[in-house]
Amino acid sequence: FRRRLRAFKPGWWFGKPAGISPIDCARRGWAGAAPDLVVCRCCGERLSVVRSGDIWLVNGVALPEAAGSAAGGPSVIPGETHLVEGHSPFCPWRSHEASCLDLGWASESAILQATERRLRRLRRGFASPGAAVPVVLAAPSCDGNGDHAEEAEDPCEELALAGWEYVARRGGSDANRLDIIRCVYCLRVVASQCFAHRVVGGDEARRDQDGQPLPKVARQAPLPPRP
């Protein structure tokens, strides 16, 4: 799934109709091959999705508007039909769908280890001076007494639980610095400076490789000047 999703380069698959986003395509076995073009590496079929005026064309055929079912059930998204029927008749992707958020395959220990690994990366990445730590709101309480959400005490822990990990730091000076984080489920990559954030500085940046504060060191008095 991730390999197919990474095949969609920026600008190749932008502003497409509902139901055929890069995530939807990767779930149905399609990978980005070129601008406005996806390919199935199992059966070799291709789908070209382009816009002609006000109409979307899928392999030259007009994509109909989304419509609700006659029985009043959920609406039918035409793009999803093309992702299924676009495969060859005997392609396994016609009857198979990969879920990017299904963690049922992983054990509880594997999920815990992956979360702890993301947490360590986030703490290390946001430990240096000038890092922009996103302001994250804590989950609301279940008793219903809280009138508004409060800021989380440990934003790195909240981000790790939600699937985010620290990727890299871009830019040289602190003024041009960008702290890049990525969602391990949908592979969305964003800079933390795009959100409300706090800039790390002073003693806040003194942390070890696991993100824990370093012990304070007693300040040494300067030596008296020589006579």
Side-chain angles (χ1 to χ4, degrees), residues 2 99-108 110-111 114 185:
R2 295 183 181 181
S99 176
C100 59
L101 300 178
D102 185 10
L103 299 179
W105 59 269
S107 62
E108 293 184 0
I111 297 176
Y185 300 127

Side-chain angles (χ1 to χ4, degrees), residues 210-227:
D210 292 329
Q212 301 299 325
L214 294 173
K216 295 184 178 180
V217 180
R219 180 176 300 176
Q220 302 292 333
L223 298 175
R226 294 184 179 182

Side-chain angles (χ1 to χ4, degrees), residues 64-194:
E65 296 288 340
S69 63
S75 60
V76 178
I77 302 178
E80 295 181 349
T81 303
H82 283 275
L83 294 183
V84 175
E85 298 180 352
H87 293 283
S88 64
F90 299 101
C91 181
W93 283 110
R94 291 181 69 96
S95 59
H96 180 72
E97 179 180 358
S99 176
C100 59
L101 300 178
D102 185 10
L103 299 179
W105 59 269
S107 62
E108 293 184 0
S109 60
I111 297 176
L112 178 60
Q113 292 175 4
T115 304
E116 292 177 344
R117 182 167 58 252
R118 293 193 299 269
L119 178 58
R120 289 193 297 268
R121 291 178 179 175
L122 286 166
R123 285 176 172 171
R124 285 197 299 265
F126 290 128
S128 59
V133 182
V135 175
V136 181
L137 299 181
S141 59
C142 299
D143 53 13
N145 295 328
D147 296 333
H148 59 278
E150 298 181 354
E151 184 177 342
E153 297 182 0
D154 190 348
C156 291
E157 181 177 350
E158 298 292 337
L159 290 171
L161 291 173
W164 293 93
E165 64 180 356
Y166 191 92
V167 178
R169 170 186 173 178
R170 305 285 174 80
S173 62
D174 291 342
N176 299 326
R177 170 172 180 160
L178 291 176
D179 295 284
I180 309 300
I181 58 177
R182 174 178 59 197
C183 177
V184 299
Y185 300 127
C186 68
L187 302 184
R188 183 183 297 272
V189 178
V190 295
S192 62
Q193 283 80 356
C194 296

